[in-house]
Amino acid sequence: MIVPNWIGGTWKPSSATEKVHVLNPATEEILAHTPLGTQADVEEAVAAAQAAFVTWRRTPAVERVQYLFRFKTLLEANQEALSRIITQEHGKTLVESRGSVRRAIQMVETACGIPSLLQGESSEDIASGIDSISIRRPMGVFAGIAPFNFPAMVPFWFWPFAIACGNTYVLKASERVPLTSVKVFELLAQTGLPPGVMNLIQGGKAVVDGLCQHPQVKGISFVGSTPVAKHVYTLGCAHGKRVQALGGAKNVMVVLPDSLQSETWKKRTLHTAVESVIGCAGERCLAGSVILSVGDKAYEAFQAGAVAAAEKIRVGDGLETNTDMGPVISQAAKESICGLISRALGEGATLLFDGREGVDDMPGYFLRPTVLANIQPHMEIAQKEVFGPVILLGKVDSLDAAIAWINAIPYANTSTLFTTSGAAARKFAYEVDPSMIGINIGVPAPMAFFSFGGSKESFFGDLKVHGKQSIQFFTDTYTTLYRWYDSDASIWGSC
Ligand code: NAD
């Protein structure tokens, strides 16, 4: 199967001549081929979206959300089918896929509140006899560019809000996991959404660059690695677009000894921290990477606890019910992770559990969790995003030193503190640079009604995704001042 585009309400073949495999990373089976779309596809999709905008913009918000209500019901009815597609093309376990679809549905639910979320501001008598109103108005065509790691959830961070606001949309899914979006668009088609409001094009760099430069595209939402996020931000801004570009991450979790004070606390701190690193095989932008213990006691507990947890993880095909962790996305990803581990050992890290062993006899891109101790802040593996199941254990003497470690990292997406102390939690939340913060939460993912996005080299732009900031991103503010005269009488003041 060559994955088609959805443009103007119909499935169409891409104009591409080049294509890439879509592989099941657990079996290496070829599931489909993604065409690497061209400028012709961009032109066609943007033209369809631009044409649809004329009517969609005039459709009242209360009517626009009826399509989203229908879509939510369809998503719920098809949650299992969608989850299976995600697991097949991405590799994460079915439980993880189901969780990601649930998150996608929450985005739709939140966007259904657009009649309230879109409300503006007004004031009477801003000057004598003059009233003023500000409204939020849709702008036209927006585009979204998604990464491979959450095939359903990440695109939903943008487009339900964009179209609920009255814009029309062009989505480019990741060429590595296009099949989830095909299923999503099949469901969207069943809602009766007017043709051209939502469009899907397949491809890679050429399509991304085409969208970033297209004169009719008003704004771009991007999620992916930091170098590409920077590229999209720079190119999109240079062409006069609003851009929100979310990049890579290097997340640190700090463990204060009080969070291990009882057996119950110890169990849940260890479980929460380890799950953060290895959930979705480490392929989450909010995945903890370095577990930084304050003092020897916590460090020792984590060395023993992380190894015990790693030993128990059952690696396999995510469709199997007894699988705890699926494969990573590709052979290249596996090699990159193994390379980082080898170089860390060369820099003085201590290997406590080697996840590279015992998986080469299986087809698929499997790794077991690796546990490395004696991690120092200058090491390559302490600086770079691993995006794989590698638990890095480090130690500092104080909370101040832990915060300094975190704030020296440019990829400031999230950070977590495990503690029972409110004072420590407040200090941590007040002083760390990453803008998504967890206190005793390993994966502090903001819900759909809060905004999501990191800081420094993890985020380029002003307004973050979903939540109220997305309503600002997808609308422009128009302010009208009104003065009405009461015939010739001057009850509204002289003019
Ligand atoms: P990626 O940057 O390789 O690809 C993302 C998108 O950009 C894809 O649609 C791809 O087709 C396109 N692309 C790739 N190279 C390009 C180029 N040179 N020019 C233009 N477009 C290009 O990212 P990925 O490997 O798919 O996803 C993993 C990355 O995404 C990780 O770094 C992860 O941290 C990040 N991510 C970040 C967040 C966040 O919220 N900050 C969320 C999810 C994933």
Side-chain angles (χ1 to χ4, degrees):
M1 173 203 182
I2 298 183
V3 189
N5 294 334
W6 173 261
I7 297 178
T10 47
W11 292 108
K12 297 189 168 185
S14 165
S15 65
T17 49
E18 280 180 77
K19 53 189 189 310
V20 291
H21 295 323
V22 182
L23 289 173
N24 179 335
T27 62
E28 299 181 40
E29 175 199 355
I30 295 177
L31 301 172
H33 295 89
T34 309
L36 295 179
T38 66
Q39 187 61 26
D41 298 318
V42 173
E43 294 296 343
E44 195 184 0
V46 175
Q50 183 66 31
F53 178 64
V54 177
T55 313
W56 188 243
R57 188 215 144 174
R58 287 170 169 73
T59 307
V62 285
E63 287 178 32
R64 292 198 297 259
V65 295
Q66 297 313 313
Y67 300 98
L68 292 176
F69 280 118
R70 285 202 279 282
F71 185 52
K72 169 188 150 64
T73 307
L74 283 164
L75 284 172
E76 280 169 343
N78 289 274
Q79 183 162 1
E80 197 58 19
L82 267 168
S83 302
R84 291 185 79 81
I85 296 171
I86 294 168
T87 293
Q88 278 166 342
E89 67 177 353
H90 174 275
K92 65 182 74 185
T93 66
L94 259 183
V95 171
E96 291 166 341
S97 295
R98 288 181 191 127
S100 74
V101 176
R102 186 67 237 155
R103 283 264 174 179
I105 294 171
Q106 286 165 354
M107 301 296 153
V108 178
E109 289 167 351
T110 303
C112 283
I114 211 72
S116 305
L117 292 168
L118 210 51
Q119 282 177 340
E121 298 171 328
S122 62
S123 284
E124 233 180 21
D125 287 327
I126 54 155
S128 182
I130 299 178
D131 304 331
S132 182
I133 65 162
S134 269
I135 52 133
R136 298 205 157 278
R137 181 177 288 177
M139 296 172 63
V141 181
F142 278 79
I145 300 152
F148 79 85
N149 66 323
F150 280 97
M153 181 185 79
V154 167
F156 280 69
W157 285 354
F158 338 123
W159 72 257
F161 299 95
I163 69 165
C165 285
N167 302 289
T168 54
Y169 211 78
V170 179
L171 175 68
K172 192 208 81 70
S174 166
E175 63 275 36
R176 294 193 263 181
V177 291
L179 301 174
T180 305
S181 288
V182 169
K183 179 72 184 170
V184 165
F185 274 71
E186 282 171 6
L187 299 178
L188 261 178
Q190 293 174 37
T191 64
L193 190 71
V197 173
M198 281 295 296
N199 304 276
L200 173 68
I201 39 178
Q202 313 297 341
K205 181 173 171 53
V207 169
V208 172
D209 290 359
L211 290 168
C212 288
Q213 296 174 84
H214 198 291
Q216 282 178 327
V217 173
K218 298 291 182 204
I220 303 271
S221 301
F222 171 90
V223 179
S225 59
T226 289
V228 186
K230 259 187 196 167
H231 164 72
V232 165
Y233 184 72
T234 310
L235 190 61
C237 290
H239 287 82
K241 294 169 202 340
R242 295 181 172 195
V243 184
Q244 47 181 194
L246 282 69
K250 185 72 193 175
N251 307 321
V252 176
M253 294 183 289
V254 178
V255 182
L256 290 185
D258 60 2
S259 73
L260 307 166
Q261 64 185 354
S262 67
E263 273 314 302
T264 309
W265 264 95
K266 188 172 169 182
K267 210 168 147 189
R268 66 185 168 212
T269 298
L270 278 165
H271 173 79
T272 307
V274 168
E275 197 287 327
S276 170
V277 183
I278 65 176
C280 295
E283 292 174 330
R284 292 189 286 202
C285 67
L286 294 176
S289 179
V290 180
I291 302 176
L292 197 53
S293 296
V294 177
D296 291 330
K297 191 175 147 225
Y299 188 50
E300 281 157 23
F302 258 89
Q303 292 190 55
V307 171
E311 280 170 348
K312 278 196 213 131
I313 295 297
R314 294 164 301 179
V315 173
D317 189 331
L319 289 177
E320 304 293 334
T321 46
N322 60 357
T323 294
D324 300 316
M325 190 173 89
V328 295
I329 187 71
S330 64
Q331 181 63 23
K334 184 174 167 177
E335 284 167 12
S336 157
I337 295 160
C338 291
L340 275 167
I341 294 170
S342 302
R343 292 195 293 281
L345 296 176
E347 286 185 276
T350 309
L351 187 61
L352 299 185
F353 190 82
D354 194 350
R356 298 167 299 176
E357 288 181 354
V359 286
D360 282 342
D361 50 338
M362 300 160 74
Y365 314 123
F366 290 101
L367 286 167
R368 294 181 201 287
T370 290
V371 184
L372 295 176
N374 194 28
I375 296 302
Q376 304 298 327
H378 64 268
M379 290 177 176
E380 181 195 14
I381 205 161
Q383 295 285 330
K384 275 195 176 166
E385 184 173 40
V386 178
F387 230 51
V390 183
I391 302 169
L392 303 174
L393 302 178
K395 186 184 72 165
V396 287
D397 293 334
S398 64
L399 181 57
D400 280 319
I403 292 170
W405 179 312
I406 290 169
N407 288 349
I409 296 172
Y411 308 104
N413 207 31
T414 183
S415 56
T416 283
L417 179 68
F418 293 100
T419 187
T420 59
S421 160
R426 185 177 190 278
K427 174 183 170 66
F428 184 80
Y430 197 84
E431 293 186 12
V432 290
D433 288 344
S435 45
M436 292 184 280
I437 298 161
I439 304 297
N440 300 313
I441 308 260
V443 181
M447 294 288 280
F449 33 90
F450 285 91
S451 290
F452 187 116
S455 54
K456 290 160 71 174
E457 296 284 293
S458 222
F459 178 76
F460 304 93
D462 311 287
L463 297 168
K464 296 183 174 176
V465 299
H466 60 74
K468 288 182 190 149
Q469 290 192 24
S470 80
I471 313 305
Q472 286 173 266
F473 184 76
F474 289 121
T475 55
D476 202 357
T477 306
Y478 280 66
T479 301
T480 308
L481 283 74
Y482 289 95
R483 176 159 61 190
W484 298 104
Y485 299 105
D486 183 16
S487 73
D488 289 336
S490 59
I491 65 162
W492 297 115
S494 55
C495 55

